[in-house]
């Protein structure tokens, strides 16, 4: 076979595959149609020749006379009855394969006990194939034993014309082929069912991973939004209150507060555009996309402290260790934790509050401490800071860290986060 011949078989195989799929679909919706078609086909191919052309010992057969005399002549009515007993049980060969096989075997044994030979005996091999394909596997040993017994009866009946061992070899080979074909098709169907089940399971797992990734991204964006909006609005509100108070006393301070409010609002707007921009599809190409800026890091904490100082709080900020060498993800985590802690100070502490902020890198650990002197004057509903504390703990958990927060003995509030700087996966 040439390469062109092989390539030309592609469309033929595709058409056969589509035809097989349509046939299987039709069989699932109307199973009786195929079963009836099998019975009709067996009747046309194997029963009609016996009815129209006579029995094996009729006519001018050119076989050995002893072979033609080995079988019993049957009347047409008897022949029809035996053919019906062999062929009609095939209607139940898939729904009740054991019942169909038992009925066909019984009629087969009765027929050969009478010494008659019919072409419809092929129904026994079809029933055996169906039992191997659709029946319980534990039923096969009994079916095989019954088949061997029936074949032995046939071999004895034709012993006057054919050697018993030759007849047994031919008959048992045919029965074995039917049995093997049924088992092979059964195994193939089981493999295909397993592959379909695995494909469906993989599709479900893929959808679950997609939903988990979506939920994780939503949580991350919500956390970013909370940090950006919560902190900047707290600064804006505090500056607005201070500016309104200073307008009558020191107008220049009121103007400075308004300028700080504008700067803070513009920075908050830029950060919101950056966060929401990653969720927006850039339908207009790169030019239509949002303008992106680097994520804030430890270097931006000083500017954060300046805003808090402008809002009337005193902030003392110090660092220890090589904190600037941390990766961008770690720096963003530290920045957001500090931002949330300072936001809580703006919300709940007096204007005379002293805030001590320390970031210490030592022994593969990074410690962030934010302590304000208070006294606390909570505003808003109780536990309003709960979402912020949860967000800090979630960020710290990404680096195997912990966050603790609560009032101190000397008054005020303290937040401490400890992050693990050990590379993930350990040393190699």
């Amino acid at each position: 076979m040439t390469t062109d011949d092989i390539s030309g078989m592609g469309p033929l195989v595709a058409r056969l595959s589509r035809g097989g799929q349509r046939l299987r679909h039709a069989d699932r919706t109307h199973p009786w149609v195929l079963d009836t078609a099998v019975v009709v086909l067996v009747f046309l191919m194997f029963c009609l020749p016996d009815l129209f052309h006579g029995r094996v010992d009729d006519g001018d057969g050119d076989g050995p006379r002893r072979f033609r005399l080995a079988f019993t002549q049957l009347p047409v009515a008897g022949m029809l009855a035996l053919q019906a007993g062999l062929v009609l049980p095939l209607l139940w060969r898939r729904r009740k394969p054991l019942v169909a096989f038992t009925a066909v075997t019984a009629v087969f044994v009765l027929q050969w006990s009478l010494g008659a030979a019919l072409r419809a005996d092929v129904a026994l091999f079809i029933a055996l194939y169906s039992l191997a394909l659709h029946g319980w596997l534990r039923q096969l040993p009994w079916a095989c034993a019954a088949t061997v017994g029936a074949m032995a009866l046939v071999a004895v009946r034709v012993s006057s014309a054919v050697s018993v061992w030759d007849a047994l070899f031919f008959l048992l080979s045919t029965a074995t082929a039917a049995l093997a074909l049924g088992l092979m098709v059964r195994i193939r169907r089981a493999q295909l069912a397993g592959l379909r089940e695995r494909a469906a399971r993989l599709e479900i797992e893929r959808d679950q991973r997609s939903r988990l990734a979506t939920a994780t991204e939503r949580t991350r964006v919500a956390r970013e939004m909370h940090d950006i909006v919560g902190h900047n609005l707290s600064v804006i509100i505090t500056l607005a209150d201070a500016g309104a108070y200073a307008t009558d006393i020191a107008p220049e301070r009121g103007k400075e507060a308004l300028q700080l409010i504008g700067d803070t609002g513009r920075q908050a707007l830029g950060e919101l555009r950056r966060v929401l921009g990653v969720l927006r599809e850039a339908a207009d190409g790169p030019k239509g996309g949002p303008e992106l800026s680097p994520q804030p890091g430890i270097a931006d904490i000083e500017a954060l402290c300046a805003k808090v100082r402008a809002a009337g709080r005193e902030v003392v900020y110090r660092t220890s260790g090589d904190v600037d060498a941390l990766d961008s993800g770690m720096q963003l985590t530290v920045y957001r934790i500090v931002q949330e802690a300072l936001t809580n100070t703006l919300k709940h502490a007096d204007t005379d509050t002293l805030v001590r902020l320390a970031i210490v890198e030592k022994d593969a650990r990074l410690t962030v401490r934010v302590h304000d002197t208070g006294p606390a004057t909570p505003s808003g509903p109780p536990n309003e800071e709960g979402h912020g504390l949860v967000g800090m703990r979630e960020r710290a958990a990404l680096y195997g860290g912990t966050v603790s927060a609560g009032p101190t003995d000397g008054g005020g509030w303290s937040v401490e986060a400890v992050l693990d700087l050990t590379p993930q996966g350990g040393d190699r």
Side-chain angles (χ1 to χ4, degrees):
M1 182 177 295
T2 64
T3 305
D4 294 337
D5 294 334
I6 296 176
S7 60
M9 292 177 63
L12 177 61
V13 173
R15 287 193 294 269
L16 290 176
S17 178
R18 288 193 295 269
Q21 291 177 357
R22 288 193 292 267
L23 181 60
R24 286 192 293 271
H25 177 71
D27 183 47
R28 283 193 296 268
T29 55
H30 304 90
W32 280 98
V33 174
L34 182 58
D35 294 335
T36 305
V38 170
V39 171
V40 172
L41 184 63
V42 171
F43 178 79
L44 294 177
M45 293 182 62
F46 299 101
C47 296
L48 287 182
D50 284 337
L51 294 175
F52 286 111
H53 298 291
R55 296 174 297 279
V56 177
D57 56 339
D58 286 345
D60 301 327
D62 55 356
R65 186 172 183 275
R66 65 177 185 277
F67 185 80
R68 290 185 281 112
L69 295 177
F71 302 105
T72 302
Q73 297 181 5
L74 291 175
V76 175
M79 183 183 299
L80 282 174
L82 290 176
Q83 287 178 344
L86 290 170
V87 175
L88 290 181
L90 296 181
L91 290 171
W92 294 274
R93 67 184 184 87
R94 291 191 295 178
R95 283 172 292 277
K96 296 181 179 180
L98 182 61
V99 174
F101 175 80
T102 303
V104 172
T105 304
V107 176
F108 183 89
V109 171
L110 174 62
Q111 169 208 321
W112 281 98
S113 298
L114 297 175
L118 297 175
R119 293 180 176 87
D121 290 339
V122 72
L124 179 64
F125 301 112
I126 298 176
L128 181 61
Y129 162 82
S130 301
L131 181 61
L133 178 58
H134 303 290
W136 296 98
L137 293 179
R138 63 173 180 267
Q139 298 170 349
L140 287 182
W142 302 101
C144 292
T147 302
V148 171
M151 297 299 104
L153 176 61
V154 176
V156 171
R157 281 294 184 178
V158 299
S159 59
S160 59
V162 182
S163 169
V164 173
W165 298 111
D166 291 342
L168 275 179
F169 175 79
F170 173 77
L171 294 172
L172 293 180
S173 297
T174 307
T176 302
L179 181 66
L181 181 61
L183 291 176
M184 183 186 68
V185 175
R186 184 188 189 119
I187 293 172
R188 178 60 177 169
R189 289 184 179 179
Q191 290 175 343
L192 292 177
L195 291 175
R196 285 192 293 267
E197 181 181 356
R198 184 170 180 269
R201 186 170 62 251
L202 290 176
E203 185 175 357
I204 293 174
E205 291 177 357
R206 182 199 62 191
D207 294 340
Q208 289 176 343
R209 285 194 299 269
S210 177
R211 286 194 292 268
L212 287 175
T214 302
T216 302
E217 183 64 15
R218 287 177 178 174
T219 302
R220 186 191 68 80
V221 173
R223 190 165 56 231
E224 291 285 330
M225 293 284 290
H226 175 272
D227 293 340
I228 295 170
V229 175
H231 170 74
N232 288 289
L233 283 181
S234 297
V235 173
I236 289 173
I237 291 171
T238 303
L239 290 173
D241 292 340
Y245 176 76
T247 299
D248 298 330
I249 301 175
E252 67 279 0
R253 296 300 300 272
K255 180 179 179 181
E256 181 182 354
L258 291 176
Q259 291 176 345
L260 290 173
I261 289 174
D263 293 339
T264 303
R266 280 188 290 273
Q267 180 182 353
L269 184 60
E271 292 187 6
L272 285 176
R273 284 175 176 172
R274 173 179 53 77
V275 172
L276 297 178
V278 300
L279 303 179
R280 188 184 305 119
E281 293 183 357
D284 299 331
K287 294 183 179 180
E291 295 183 1
L292 303 180
S293 60
Q295 292 276 22
I298 293 179
D300 301 299
I301 292 181
E302 184 60 45
L304 196 64
C305 295
K307 292 182 180 181
V308 178
R309 294 188 187 103
R313 276 69 172 175
E314 182 180 357
V315 181
V316 178
Y317 170 47
R318 70 180 182 87
T319 61
S320 176
D322 192 9
V323 294
D324 293 330
L326 299 175
D327 64 81
S328 58
M330 177 72 75
Q331 292 199 32
L332 175 62
T333 297
V334 173
Y335 180 89
R336 293 305 186 195
I337 291 176
V338 171
Q339 185 183 51
E340 181 61 35
L342 294 179
T343 300
N344 289 336
T345 298
L346 289 175
K347 287 181 179 180
H348 306 298
D350 291 339
T351 55
D352 297 333
T353 298
L354 171 63
V355 181
R356 291 186 175 87
L357 168 60
I359 302 176
V360 180
E361 185 268 328
K362 184 179 180 182
D363 298 333
R365 287 187 177 277
L366 184 70
T367 304
V368 181
R369 296 188 185 92
V370 183
H371 171 70
D372 64 67
T373 58
T377 56
S379 61
N383 300 325
E384 186 182 5
E385 74 280 5
H387 294 292
L389 291 177
V390 170
M392 285 191 287
R393 292 191 177 98
E394 289 178 351
R395 290 183 181 276
L398 294 177
Y399 293 92
T402 58
V403 174
S404 59
T408 59
D409 295 337
W413 191 267
S414 178
V415 175
E416 180 173 312
V418 180
L419 307 179
D420 187 5
L421 300 181
T422 303
Q424 294 184 355
D427 298 334
R428 293 183 181 272

